[in-house]
Amino acid sequence: MAEPTNTPMPPSTPVPASTPRSLSPARPPLPSLTPSASTITTVPLALRSSPPSVLKDQPKPRPVVLHIGDPIKYNPKLYEEFSSAFDVIRPSTEERERSAFIQALKDKKWGDFSAIFRPFWGTGGEMGRWDAELIDLLPDSVKVFASAGAGFDWADTKLLGEKGIIYCNSGLAAAEAVADFAVAMIISTFRHLPWCIGAAVYPESPSSSRETIFRQCHAEATLVSHNPRGHTLSFIGFGNIGQQIAAKLGNPAFGMKIAYYDVVRKSPELEAQLGAEYYGSLDEVLQVGDCIVLCTPASPDGKALITGERLGKVKWGARFVNIARGSLVDEDALADALEEGRLSAAALDVHADEPRVNKRLAEMAGLGTGGLVRAEETGEDGKVRLVVKNPGRVMLTCHNAGGTVETHAGFEELSMKNILAVLGGGEAITPVNLHFFLKGKN
């Protein structure tokens, strides 16, 4: 991944790779927020670190924006407009540490600011989770919180909404990058890419030679590999990212069938455009999928959505891909399903205990003995089946799906545009908590 230097994964917040579904009224699509790499200008800008004085010739003070995190990097022209409209205050890294940040809010160090701006995901999360301890200290003047990233399980968006603060995410800017990555993962579950790649670079050892492992994979991978065409992709969640994946793989080039379950059924026009068939329950869509793709927001209660019971609903030999949130999956149950043979392959970009990866799944991602293993397995239904297990049947990545330069440029752009829209008296572009906001207003 071509990654900007200011985007390491912080321990306090997850990296974007989910498909949050806005629970607010739908907005019209934005123009492209992922410019080509050739059009991106990297211009580090020094932002003010203390509130500027109000100019005497201004009839009233400009709204103040609290900028948490690194200076903007990719959108200097838009930032000129942004900083002309607002007084931007950027606390130092030390001031953003939780204890110092709380004290500063209590002391009203930054005054009555109107917006919170977090343009990058790797910085700006030093104060930790935005819970009641932080939110209750925000001045009543705050109207909007616009952040990089697709996921928003690190902030209590319900409490923000009830306080009259619109929370806007930047999932739209990450959608294409995540969808592209998901396509690679889906193909991997059909073609067992970890095995094919791993066998080609297998280290020499006294017990086995690279040539032997290479020949073994060349001969045996064919026996468990399939073309994606004609197989059914079952989506759990069908927001922006799910729809982009469906558009890429459901078209004539790949020819996959599209099934989906979502708490909100999409319009007949969209279903027709994507060739998508709606299923009214999660269990129903699990039963028809040759490859199940999880792209839904994290559960509000933090509980797993994909459990052993749910995995018992999938057809034998199905595949599973998670590009949403690691907390949504019981990973030991997933490993059980892979060992049993109910699932033939899996690919995970997100993990339940990041940055730690489930040890059982990591073993299945390796080459092991290097060849196919055939064994009789008794399923939960009591039937005995011949199960063929291959090395490298699990692809594991490091929460990389949303990580591109274009995504980060889009995070900046969309966050600034959301604040410009709200403080300018217009509507937020990508709100996720308007239903709570409206309840708080009533």
Side-chain angles (χ1 to χ4, degrees), residues 16-301:
S18 67
T19 312
R21 174 177 50 256
S22 172
L23 298 177
S24 307
R27 303 287 170 190
L30 285 176
S32 175
L33 290 169
T34 53
S36 65
S38 61
T39 65
I40 294 176
T41 304
T42 302
V43 183
L45 296 179
L47 304 187
R48 300 181 180 92
S49 59
S50 60
S53 60
V54 179
L55 298 178
K56 294 181 180 179
D57 57 349
Q58 290 182 324
K60 60 180 180 179
R62 293 183 296 175
V64 175
V65 173
L66 190 68
H67 176 161
I68 53 175
D70 282 359
I72 70 103
K73 189 179 180 74
Y74 301 107
N75 295 275
K77 289 185 178 180
L78 179 58
Y79 182 72
E80 288 179 12
E81 176 187 347
F82 189 78
S83 58
S84 295
F86 312 122
D87 285 336
V88 181
I89 303 173
R90 191 170 71 86
S92 66
T93 302
E94 294 74 18
E95 290 174 317
R96 298 196 302 266
E97 294 298 332
R98 190 172 183 91
S99 58
F101 195 76
I102 288 174
Q103 190 59 52
L105 289 175
K106 288 179 178 179
D107 295 341
K108 295 190 176 296
K109 182 174 184 177
W110 304 303
D112 290 330
F113 51 92
S114 299
I116 302 169
F117 172 47
R118 182 183 179 186
F120 291 106
W121 194 254
T123 62
E126 294 84 359
M127 66 290 300
R129 178 173 170 78
W130 281 80
D131 52 16
E133 185 179 24
L134 289 182
I135 294 170
D136 288 348
L137 294 174
L138 292 176
D140 293 338
S141 54
V142 180
K143 304 300 180 188
V144 58
F145 189 147
S147 175
F152 44 88
D153 46 354
W154 57 279
D156 189 334
T157 55
K158 178 177 183 291
L159 188 57
L160 285 168
E162 291 172 348
K163 192 176 175 66
I165 301 170
I166 301 173
Y167 181 88
C168 302
N169 76 339
S170 299
L172 188 60
E176 184 172 19
V178 177
D180 288 346
F181 206 88
V183 168
M185 300 195 99
I186 291 165
I187 292 173
S188 177
T189 65
F190 282 90
R191 299 300 306 271
H192 301 288
L193 297 184
W195 184 14
C196 300
I197 295 169
V201 298
Y202 193 83
E204 294 284 352
S205 70
S207 60
S208 61
S209 71
R210 180 177 297 172
E211 289 81 4
T212 300
I213 298 298
F214 185 104
R215 291 192 184 98
Q216 201 168 23
C217 176
H218 175 72
E220 296 182 348
T222 302
L223 304 177
V224 291
S225 296
H226 295 272
N227 294 339
R229 183 176 301 278
H231 288 87
T232 298
L233 276 180
S234 282
F235 289 88
I236 302 173
F238 207 53
N240 290 324
I241 293 173
Q243 292 168 31
Q244 287 210 30
I245 299 169
K248 293 172 187 289
L249 292 178
N251 67 26
F254 280 93
M256 300 192 75
K257 300 173 184 177
I258 306 300
Y260 80 95
Y261 166 72
D262 195 291
V263 294
V264 178
R265 183 172 183 174
K266 307 309 173 186
S267 69
E269 292 78 15
L270 181 63
E271 289 182 351
Q273 179 184 350
L274 297 175
E277 184 175 356
Y278 174 74
Y279 285 80
S281 73
L282 179 54
D283 287 352
E284 288 177 335
V285 84
L286 286 172
Q287 292 168 8
V288 300
D290 295 301
C291 182
I292 296 146
V293 184
L294 184 61
C295 44
T296 191
S299 304
D301 57 8

